[in-house]
Amino acid sequence: MTSLLEHLESSHRAGSAGGAVPWVVLPTFNEAENIEAIVAAVRRVLEQAAPAGFRILIVDDDSPDGTGSIADRLAAAHAGIEVLHRSVREGLGPAYVAGFRHALAGGAAYVMEMDADGSHDPRDLARLLAAVRDGGADLALGSRYVRGGQISDWSLLRRATSRGGCRYARMVLGLDVRDLTGGFKCFAAEVLEAIDLATVRSRGYAFQVELTYRALRAGFQVHEVPITFGRRAHGSSKMSWRIALEAAWLVPQLRDGGEPPPGRRRPPVGAEPARLTKG
Ligand code: GDD
Ligand code: MN
């Protein structure tokens, strides 16, 4: 028998058209040249893959290049697009945490992560969503390092660094996941609800590792879906050696719950004041 609470929960998750609504969260920092084309492509794909409805949430950290106002214009022009404007640039991790909180509060059934720079093919959203909605996964990872996955154009150095970083995290955490640092994912809402977002500490590559590790520890099913990771269309990457070092330093600390030792606690990330624009 389903309890009243479960009933309320499932109707809360149902969109206006009665389906379970996926949200795509797009973090942006200086993506003025990319955001419009990406939003258009995401809409085209999800109109097919999620005909009952979907939402796109752009999380912009006050980009100096005006990405935020372009996003506002898109939200005004199309239903189902929202923009979360954050006043402080804190890195990718905190932007996602803020976006996840907002999507969960809005009743998302599935929450998807995607770069807003053209390196993730919007068509792959359909396969990531299907892996969770229809394929028995609780978390689907777009994976460069399983059969069928690839990287279209990266220098040997970046390839080796990424590959090495994934191997390191895999070994240190004892996980059987090939691509631990990828940023193209689909979470069932339950996974994000079970992860204590307030204690997520990482900002860069480590953020991806941390969330997948926590999902696995909580007993959720994680599937890897092969993707091709491409070149960003315009602009430049926000990641840096500092962020790679953060990952090297933080990953071993994620083991066993990854609660920060007393005295090392930082304020929760993604809790900065934000302003919302809705389409
Ligand atoms: N709001 C916000 N704030 N967005 C940000 C920030 C920030 O501080 N930093 C980066 N972003 C956005 C970018 O605008 C882009 O849409 C997305 O996050 C990815 O940033 P990139 O700078 O393009 O990252 P990348 O290509 O180096 O890294 C990608 O691949 C890695 C694995 O190789 C990302 O998917 C990473 O998450 C992933 O670990
Ligand atoms: Mn990128």
Side-chain angles (χ1 to χ4, degrees):
M1 203 185 84
T2 48
S3 69
L4 178 63
L5 198 69
E6 274 166 340
H7 174 75
L8 286 174
E9 181 89 340
S10 64
S11 49
H12 173 67
R13 297 250 164 271
S16 50
V21 174
W23 284 55
V24 177
V25 182
L26 297 170
T28 54
F29 192 80
N30 287 348
E31 303 292 1
E33 291 173 295
N34 293 317
I35 189 66
E36 186 155 10
I38 284 154
V39 165
V42 170
R43 292 181 65 231
R44 270 196 305 277
V45 170
L46 289 184
E47 271 157 16
Q48 299 292 316
F54 59 86
R55 293 192 85 80
I56 300 174
L57 175 64
I58 298 159
V59 185
D60 185 65
D61 287 1
D62 200 18
S63 298
D65 74 349
T67 304
S69 21
I70 299 173
D72 282 345
R73 184 162 53 67
L74 296 171
H78 308 285
I81 302 179
E82 298 185 26
V83 191
L84 195 57
H85 295 276
R86 305 173 72 244
S87 50
V88 185
R89 182 185 178 190
E90 290 184 298
L92 178 82
Y96 267 130
V97 168
F100 293 165
R101 287 213 173 96
H102 184 75
L104 292 175
Y110 310 100
V111 181
M112 310 189 72
E113 282 187 20
M114 181 176 166
D115 291 358
D117 64 358
S119 57
H120 291 152
D121 183 344
R123 287 173 299 183
D124 291 336
L125 284 169
R127 290 188 306 126
L128 286 166
L129 177 62
V132 178
R133 191 178 51 192
D134 320 311
D138 301 306
L139 165 58
L141 307 177
S143 180
R144 299 160 289 179
Y145 304 131
V146 291
R147 187 189 294 275
Q150 46 184 309
I151 298 171
S152 72
D153 103 314
W154 260 12
S155 70
L156 263 165
L157 177 67
R158 190 156 180 203
R159 260 171 224 263
T161 314
S162 167
R163 221 23 215 265
C166 283
R167 287 223 178 91
Y168 169 75
R170 220 172 102 104
M171 209 178 64
V172 168
L173 299 173
L175 303 178
D176 189 23
V177 173
R178 300 276 141 184
D179 193 343
L180 273 171
T181 59
F184 200 10
K185 300 182 167 183
C186 178
F187 295 90
E190 294 70 26
V191 176
L192 293 177
E193 275 157 358
I195 289 173
D196 180 15
L197 293 174
T199 59
V200 170
R201 290 179 303 150
S202 32
R203 281 143 208 277
Y205 301 109
F207 173 77
Q208 307 298 357
V209 182
E210 181 165 17
L211 261 67
T212 297
Y213 180 59
R214 289 201 189 195
L216 283 163
R217 268 182 57 93
F220 289 107
Q221 285 288 322
V222 177
H223 293 188
E224 290 185 86
V225 173
I227 57 149
T228 297
F229 186 87
R231 168 205 282 274
R232 66 155 48 238
H234 302 277
S236 53
S237 170
K238 316 302 171 316
M239 296 302 191
S240 62
W241 285 107
R242 225 187 79 219
I243 280 173
L245 284 176
E246 175 208 55
W249 180 76
L250 267 181
V251 162
Q253 299 180 44
L254 300 177
R255 261 180 312 215
D256 311 319
E259 273 296 303
R264 282 259 181 90
R265 282 173 200 275
R266 291 201 231 153
V269 299
E272 290 297 327
R275 179 171 63 83
L276 190 71
T277 325
K278 242 184 208 204

